[in-house]
Amino acid sequence: MASNLKWMVLAGLFLGAAACSSGRPDYAIPELSDETRLSIAQGSLIGTKNEETGARAWYGIPFAAPPVDDLRWRAPRAPSAWDGILEANNKYSACLQYNERPILPGKKGDLVGSEDCLYLTVWAPGKTPAEPLPVMVWVHGGANTTGYAGFDDFGRLAEQNDVIVVALNYRLGPMGWFANEAIRESALEPLDKSMNFALLDIIRGLDWVGENVEAFGGDPDLITLFGESAGGFNTAALMMSPLAEGKFHRAIVQSAGFNVFSMQEAETGPKDPSHRRGTSSAEAIEQLKTTGALPADLLPSDPDFAKRIRALPAQTVFEAYRTIHQANALGGEIGPIDNTADGILIPEAFAEPGNEERILATDVPLIIGTNRDEALVAGLGSELFTTKSLGLIPKPRDKDAYAAHGGYPSRLWQVLGVQEPAKARSSALDSPVFTYRFDWDEEGSHYFTDISTLVGAVHGLEVSFLSGEFSVPDADDKLFFKDATKASRTRLSSEMMSYWAEFARAGHPGSGTQEDLPEWQAYGDETSAGESLIFDTPADGGVRLLRLEDDVESLLDELRIDPRLSTDEQRCATADLMIEIAKSQGVALDPFQKTKNTFCKKP
């Protein structure tokens, strides 16, 4: 998955180095509001109202039983009812994660959150709607190792476009994905044999939405599942699962793709070490034995194995993964194997490289796209492409070489993660697919360097436009969002929200909820075959349809002769980064490896 790419944490490291204020500094608990009292099947609750956005919000509603003690590494169970009135303002309920970029209360780098974490957030317009509204269920990103439901505030999306937005927590890291024989053998229910516990959490959340969203003004027959990065991969994974069929009616996949691991890789690792994409469960178990947390002679066939590993402190499990991950020099704190074709939640055949059936498994309307400069920030971590002003602030050694290094993998992501799935779906399925590219890059200069050149339309940036918050945790917000761009980016934000909401309402984004934007036509329409909607401000061409012509062969041919890359070493590094993108998309690596071998010196 893309969750294990080193460069995806570089933007965060850069932001941390340049930080002087946080967009979310005080972790304030929202005040309760009498306007939000209502009842659902579990009991009565009271939420909050945001005076700035006008939206109502309910934070920290349990949608499943706590997955703790003997329920660790089992499918989620239904939640219990409560007595009295639940005060739904616990904005910071989160699953266990390392606070490397401090997005939660606690010290930087600490293990924060809880195993008891299956809670969700609901945003609704300030006034109770006369008719049921479309429902949008958000799956947060964060490499499947960080993030939480209350992180992004979707109150503006709900209030301005008359939709209900629900955001779900799901178990992260090794608590969300764990493949082991003893765990399977200890199953109490058939779904306990799956190793995709986090995906089962999301399915349980969708069930909760279907059962309860009417109380908030939502229509259970109009549910759109949408997510970015890891959340987008999770959304695509659920489109592969027969267990999720009928639980959502549209999908939006942002900066992700259709890919899953094999059970072998999840449990014991890949046959070829060069194809390594993360830490297998067996490696973690061996590390637990090395530290003495488990007896060295304990085997999965031992009748007490499952009981003993479930009884381990969560921090001990996480530390085992962190030790292995850092030893392999991967970015971030941990990198467990996540979405896997386990034969229960996802068919085993879907793990085969290039298996097109995984793209076609669910026939629902789909929006899929990437950001133009997904991987541009990769150059920040390489002395081949970056130097440091005053010993601290990064600057490109050569702007053209820096752009080429990040440009090829970004364009490859668009081809493999967007264009090829769109071609397959538009020719084989009845439901339409709509493609986009997010191009906003107006950060400008700051701290003696040009942020636009360094990160551009970077991975994850579009989420700020769907929430309208324009806030960057652990950093000076003005690093990305200057006062001079407020009017134009707020307009672009409104346009994007409008398209997303109209898609949730009608299964077609059309001209947005206000019907005053360019018509976003389906990828396979005769009049717009192969065109994607570009999201940008008028200064850079505005919102418009554009045909994106790249393909794998032409990208590799272009890389081989691109004069912007002046050395074989630079071409080698760029080809290596393209391999990481290809791994994340689950395609055969041969053509990318052949290009890499042309330019990389053999050890």
Side-chain angles (χ1 to χ4, degrees), residues 121 124 154 189 206 208 235 349 381 423 462 467 486 519 541 583 587:
T121 297
F154 288 106
E189 296 180 1
L206 287 167
W208 186 97
T235 297
K423 288 178 184 176
E462 88 287 2
S467 71
K486 183 176 181 179
E519 184 179 356
K583 285 181 182 180
V587 299

Side-chain angles (χ1 to χ4, degrees), residues 236-242 257-260 341 345-364 366 420-421 423-425 427-429 585-587:
L238 291 181
M239 294 179 70
M240 303 179 204
S241 176
F258 291 80
N259 183 30
V260 287
L345 193 134
I346 298 171
E348 291 182 34
F350 287 5
E352 291 296 321
N355 185 320
E356 195 171 89
E357 287 304 309
R358 64 189 179 212
I359 297 171
L360 306 176
T362 297
D363 191 359
V364 296
L366 173 68
E420 292 192 356
K423 288 178 184 176
R425 290 181 66 89
S427 61
L429 302 179
Q585 298 297 326
V587 299

Side-chain angles (χ1 to χ4, degrees), residues 228-571:
E228 181 269 340
S229 191
F233 278 108
N234 296 342
T235 297
L238 291 181
M239 294 179 70
M240 303 179 204
S241 176
L243 300 183
E245 186 175 355
K247 296 182 187 296
F248 58 95
H249 313 100
R250 300 97 162 81
I252 303 174
V253 174
Q254 300 170 210
S255 298
F258 291 80
N259 183 30
V260 287
F261 294 99
S262 70
M263 276 295 287
Q264 174 183 315
E265 192 168 358
E267 193 152 5
T268 62
K271 293 180 181 178
D272 185 343
S274 69
H275 291 184
R276 178 185 177 86
R277 296 182 286 177
T279 302
S280 70
S281 302
E283 290 175 292
I285 290 168
E286 285 303 309
Q287 179 63 26
L288 290 167
K289 292 180 178 180
T290 298
T291 61
L294 291 174
D297 59 352
L298 185 67
L299 299 174
S301 58
D302 189 299
D304 291 331
F305 186 97
K307 183 177 180 180
R308 296 189 72 153
I309 197 169
R310 283 193 172 103
L312 289 175
Q315 180 145 2
T316 301
V317 177
F318 272 77
E319 285 298 327
Y321 276 85
R322 177 152 72 172
T323 299
I324 297 168
H325 193 64
Q326 292 177 339
N328 284 282
L330 294 170
E333 289 296 296
I334 58 174
I337 301 296
D338 49 31
N339 300 331
T340 297
D342 59 1
I344 297 170
L345 193 134
I346 298 171
E348 291 182 34
F350 287 5
E352 291 296 321
N355 185 320
E356 195 171 89
E357 287 304 309
R358 64 189 179 212
I359 297 171
L360 306 176
T362 297
D363 191 359
V364 296
L366 173 68
I367 288 177
I368 187 167
T370 62
N371 294 359
R372 187 194 63 206
D373 303 317
E374 295 280 3
L376 183 62
V377 72
L380 278 176
S382 172
E383 292 183 357
L384 282 173
F385 301 98
T386 310
T387 185
K388 289 186 177 180
S389 174
L390 305 177
L392 178 65
I393 306 301
K395 298 181 70 172
R397 291 184 181 276
D398 178 276
K399 288 184 178 181
D400 290 339
Y402 186 95
H405 176 62
Y408 282 107
S410 298
R411 290 161 63 190
L412 180 63
W413 197 334
Q414 171 73 210
V415 170
L416 298 180
V418 180
Q419 290 173 231
E420 292 192 356
K423 288 178 184 176
R425 290 181 66 89
S426 63
S427 61
L429 302 179
D430 293 329
S431 298
V433 56
F434 305 89
T435 61
Y436 75 87
R437 192 181 72 191
F438 177 81
D439 282 17
W440 188 89
D441 63 350
E442 296 172 22
E443 299 95 343
S445 298
H446 210 62
Y447 290 109
F448 312 107
T449 194
D450 187 347
I451 310 301
S452 298
T453 299
L454 284 173
V455 303
V458 69
H459 184 77
L461 187 61
E462 88 287 2
V463 179
S464 277
F465 287 74
L466 291 175
S467 71
E469 280 191 285
F470 301 116
S471 182
V472 181
D474 193 34
D476 180 357
D477 294 341
K478 288 184 169 51
L479 192 70
F480 276 39
F481 305 117
K482 294 187 178 337
D483 290 341
T485 68
K486 183 176 181 179
S488 60
R489 59 181 156 83
T490 299
R491 173 182 168 184
L492 182 60
S493 170
S494 177
E495 291 169 342
M496 290 184 67
M497 291 183 198
S498 180
Y499 279 120
W500 261 238
E502 182 61 19
F503 176 76
R505 180 170 287 107
H508 191 300
S511 299
T513 54
Q514 304 302 318
E515 300 183 351
D516 59 352
L517 298 171
E519 184 179 356
W520 188 352
Q521 298 184 26
Y523 187 88
D525 283 358
E526 292 183 6
T527 56
S528 61
E531 291 187 333
S532 295
L533 198 69
I534 306 300
F535 286 105
D536 211 339
T537 60
D540 286 326
V543 176
R544 64 201 187 276
L545 283 167
L546 180 68
R547 189 182 307 278
L548 301 176
E549 304 283 3
D550 285 331
D551 59 64
V552 170
E553 185 176 357
S554 63
L555 280 175
L556 292 175
D557 286 344
E558 189 178 333
L559 169 65
R560 294 185 186 101
I561 61 173
D562 193 330
R564 295 176 298 171
L565 299 168
S566 58
T567 68
D568 282 356
E569 195 174 10
Q570 289 180 338
R571 288 192 173 88

Side-chain angles (χ1 to χ4, degrees), residues 128-175:
T128 302
E131 299 290 336
L133 301 180
V135 182
M136 304 184 70
V137 178
W138 173 248
V139 186
H140 70 77
N144 279 333
T145 60
T146 67
Y148 60 99
F151 179 69
D152 295 296
D153 187 333
F154 288 106
R156 290 177 182 82
L157 176 59
E159 177 68 24
Q160 294 175 20
N161 294 279
D162 286 330
V163 294
I164 306 297
V165 184
V166 181
L168 306 169
N169 280 347
Y170 54 93
R171 281 172 278 184
L172 299 171
M175 297 307 169

